[in-house]
Amino acid sequence: MWDGLFLQFYSYQYAGYINKMEQRLSISEITPLTTEWTCKVQAVDKFRPRDSRDQRVHFQTIIVQDVNEEQVCVILYGDDIRRCDNLFELFETYLISTAKVRNPQPYSLHIGQFEWIVDRFTIVESIQKNNENEAPLPLPSRLSTISFADVAQQPSGVEVDLLAVVANCGAMQYTADQSKRFREAIVIDKMKKPLFVTTWEDLASNEGAELLRQVRQLQEYPIILAKRIGTTKYQGVTVSQQDTTQQSLSIPYMCKQLNYGIG
């Protein structure tokens, strides 16, 4: 009898806990004092792991946004970076529950008022595109990109976001002193206006190699979203030589949502 009562009480308590966790909150509603929360988000930017300036902290930053397109930084540390390697894919939807919420650190990107720490105690659930009970979030509708025509008007060194089609991509090259590697590509906009893009170091080796594969081997023209890239005096754009960890290329980006055409 007592065992039955205990099990019934435990089941009631557990069900109440799950229901509490299922109370969805938006990013702006979540503070360091919020407990047992769940937020539905989409990963919109993912940086490579890096070290803080004093080399004491190894971390990775992911930017996520909710249905209202409010954004927050998700921070991973140490072993959690490997553990979450297959999570937070760009433009995929996730349910995050009870991450640690804190004020941004000096080495963090200050996207919002707070940032979230995801560790082994955090629940992160991937939402598949064919999920009938939980629909993924739609692709972002707000982009801070500039037109090709405006690139030429930007002062040298100003960082911009650019949405473009890759028309051609070159092989890896090296500076005269062999100290830096880079790769050049030609991108075009909807009006087929060309622009030179240069990727440096890790981006040239990784994303640049993928662009080369798609253009040369697959005969495809991927759409890319290049974020925080610097302008140059020759009316091209370059992924910065100094801090490539703060740059990103999303390949491909919203191909079915855009009316690009080549040929």
Side-chain angles (χ1 to χ4, degrees):
M1 174 181 176
W2 291 108
D3 289 344
L5 288 175
F6 174 77
L7 289 174
Q8 185 178 10
F9 175 76
Y10 178 81
S11 299
Y12 174 79
Q13 290 290 90
Y14 182 75
Y17 175 75
I18 294 297
N19 289 335
K20 206 169 186 181
M21 290 281 286
E22 283 299 318
Q23 291 180 1
R24 304 289 178 84
L25 297 178
S26 66
I27 287 175
S28 62
E29 294 175 311
I30 299 169
T31 74
L33 300 179
T34 310
T35 59
E36 298 178 343
W37 53 267
T38 295
C39 187
K40 187 176 183 178
V41 299
Q42 180 182 78
V44 295
D45 214 340
K46 186 175 185 178
F47 301 94
R48 289 191 181 85
R50 60 178 306 196
D51 295 324
S52 58
R53 291 184 182 275
D54 59 10
Q55 305 293 309
R56 294 182 179 180
V57 181
H58 186 66
F59 67 100
Q60 183 175 21
T61 301
I62 298 105
I63 299 176
V64 300
Q65 68 180 31
D66 60 18
V67 67
N68 301 316
E69 299 198 8
E70 297 172 342
Q71 296 185 343
V72 68
C73 283
V74 169
I75 311 295
L76 306 174
Y77 291 102
D79 292 339
D80 294 317
I81 296 176
R82 286 197 307 273
R83 187 179 63 82
C84 297
D85 187 54
N86 294 324
L87 294 174
F88 300 113
E89 296 297 327
L90 287 177
F91 311 116
E92 296 295 323
T93 300
Y94 300 89
L95 293 177
I96 300 180
S97 299
T98 60
K100 179 182 178 182
V101 182
R102 70 179 187 191
N103 293 321
Q105 300 299 295
Y107 52 80
S108 302
L109 291 176
H110 289 224
I111 297 298
Q113 184 177 2
F114 304 111
E115 63 185 15
W116 299 353
I117 311 304
V118 168
D119 57 23
R120 61 191 181 93
F121 299 107
T122 308
I123 300 172
V124 181
E125 179 184 353
S126 176
I127 303 300
Q128 303 302 315
K129 290 183 172 59
N130 58 355
N131 191 320
E132 297 180 356
N133 299 319
E134 189 74 57
L137 291 175
L139 290 168
S141 62
R142 297 197 299 255
L143 294 175
S144 57
T145 56
I146 68 170
S147 67
F148 280 23
D150 290 335
V151 170
Q153 310 303 321
Q154 303 300 313
S156 181
V158 168
E159 293 183 347
V160 299
D161 294 349
L162 198 69
L163 189 64
V165 176
V166 179
N168 200 1
C169 184
M172 185 72 75
Q173 301 181 63
Y174 293 85
T175 54
D177 60 3
Q178 301 292 305
S179 64
K180 294 184 182 296
R181 59 191 185 278
F182 66 95
R183 193 187 300 267
E184 294 179 325
I186 299 175
V187 301
I188 61 175
D189 61 7
K190 290 184 178 181
M191 305 304 295
K192 298 187 179 180
K193 178 180 174 64
L195 196 68
F196 285 99
V197 173
T198 305
T199 56
W200 293 84
E201 301 297 349
D202 288 345
L203 279 176
S205 298
N206 298 312
E207 282 83 349
E210 176 60 19
L211 289 178
L212 181 66
R213 185 185 73 86
Q214 292 192 29
V215 172
R216 298 287 180 86
Q217 295 182 18
L218 303 181
Q219 299 292 303
E220 295 178 350
Y221 302 99
I223 298 173
I224 63 170
L225 174 63
K227 297 178 70 64
R228 291 174 298 279
I229 57 179
T231 60
T232 62
K233 292 182 179 178
Y234 62 86
Q235 295 187 10
V237 293
T238 178
V239 177
S240 170
Q241 303 176 49
Q242 280 69 39
D243 191 8
T244 57
T245 57
Q246 291 297 325
Q247 320 294 324
S248 67
L249 293 177
S250 301
I251 311 168
Y253 180 80
M254 299 196 297
C255 295
K256 295 181 181 179
Q257 297 283 317
L258 297 169
N259 245 345
Y260 278 103
I262 296 181

